[in-house]
């Protein structure tokens, strides 16, 4: 499976280690961006993709930025659909206690390619019974 990527920076995403599931993606900005504690920013990557149908690209936080600086994704995990052709932008949030400065070319997130199945939705009057039933959050104990 191949994903076509057009990039304004000339730098393609890449796996940093042989066992990595995610490829690091970088900021593509004209001048440094600062995200204050508790604030959000949409960070351009200068990257455009052609993802095959039946696949998505998930944008995820980088664990190092999350634990060391408190930087995460506003929506937890973002999805880029196969029919989207616009620029990939990453919605970052600063949960940390200090300003976070992004420079052009900084690795700001990672992308994971995932295959998916489209479900056929069927209206129903009743559902089958299970042992769990309607047991919700914490129903099995702490």
């Amino acid at each position: 499976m191949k994903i076509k990527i057009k990039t304004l920076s000339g730098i393609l995403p890449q796996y940093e280690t042989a066992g990595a599931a995610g490829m690091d993606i970088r900021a593509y900005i004209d001048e440094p961006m600062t995200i204050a504690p508790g604030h959000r920013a949409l960070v351009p990557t200068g990257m455009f993709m052609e993802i095959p149908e039946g696949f998505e690209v998930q944008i995820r936080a980088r664990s190092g930025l999350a634990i060391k600086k408190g930087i995460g994704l506003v929506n937890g995990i973002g999805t880029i659909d196969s029919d989207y052709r616009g620029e990939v932008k990453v919605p970052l949030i600063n949960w940390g206690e200090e300003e976070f400065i992004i420079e052009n070319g900084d690795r700001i997130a990672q992308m994971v390619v995932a295959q998916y199945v489209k479900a056929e939705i069927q209206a129903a009057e009743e559902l089958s019974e299970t042992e769990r039933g309607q047991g919700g959050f914490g129903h099995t104990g702490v």
Side-chain angles (χ1 to χ4, degrees):
M1 192 279 295
K2 292 183 183 180
I3 295 177
K4 293 181 182 178
I5 296 180
K6 174 180 140 183
T7 177
L8 302 177
S9 69
I11 301 171
L12 292 170
Q14 62 184 29
Y15 297 102
E16 295 295 323
T17 66
M23 293 176 260
D24 286 346
I25 56 177
R26 299 172 182 271
Y28 183 75
I29 50 180
D30 293 328
E31 55 189 44
M33 292 178 73
T34 300
I35 308 175
H39 287 81
R40 302 172 300 274
L42 193 57
V43 184
T45 66
M47 190 171 63
F48 305 78
M49 294 189 235
E50 185 177 318
I51 304 164
E53 191 171 326
F55 291 86
E56 65 164 325
V57 168
Q58 298 174 359
I59 303 299
R60 301 180 182 187
R62 293 189 64 231
S63 57
L65 287 180
I67 194 66
K68 293 176 184 173
K69 304 288 184 176
I71 303 301
L73 266 65
V74 173
N75 54 342
I77 295 177
T79 292
I80 302 171
D81 297 309
S82 64
D83 58 353
Y84 178 68
R85 294 294 185 270
E87 181 179 8
V88 174
K89 295 183 181 181
V90 180
L92 294 181
I93 186 167
N94 184 349
W95 285 311
E97 299 171 1
E98 299 175 7
E99 289 185 335
F100 180 68
I101 299 171
I102 303 166
E103 304 278 348
N104 187 48
D106 283 353
R107 295 180 297 156
I108 56 167
Q110 60 180 320
M111 58 182 259
V112 175
V113 178
Q115 192 168 14
Y116 64 87
V117 175
K118 284 208 167 191
E120 180 181 328
I121 304 301
Q122 179 181 0
E125 295 292 324
E126 294 183 27
L127 303 176
S128 63
E129 296 290 329
T130 67
E131 185 177 327
R132 178 178 179 175
Q134 294 184 31
F137 296 102
H139 79 281
T140 60
V142 179

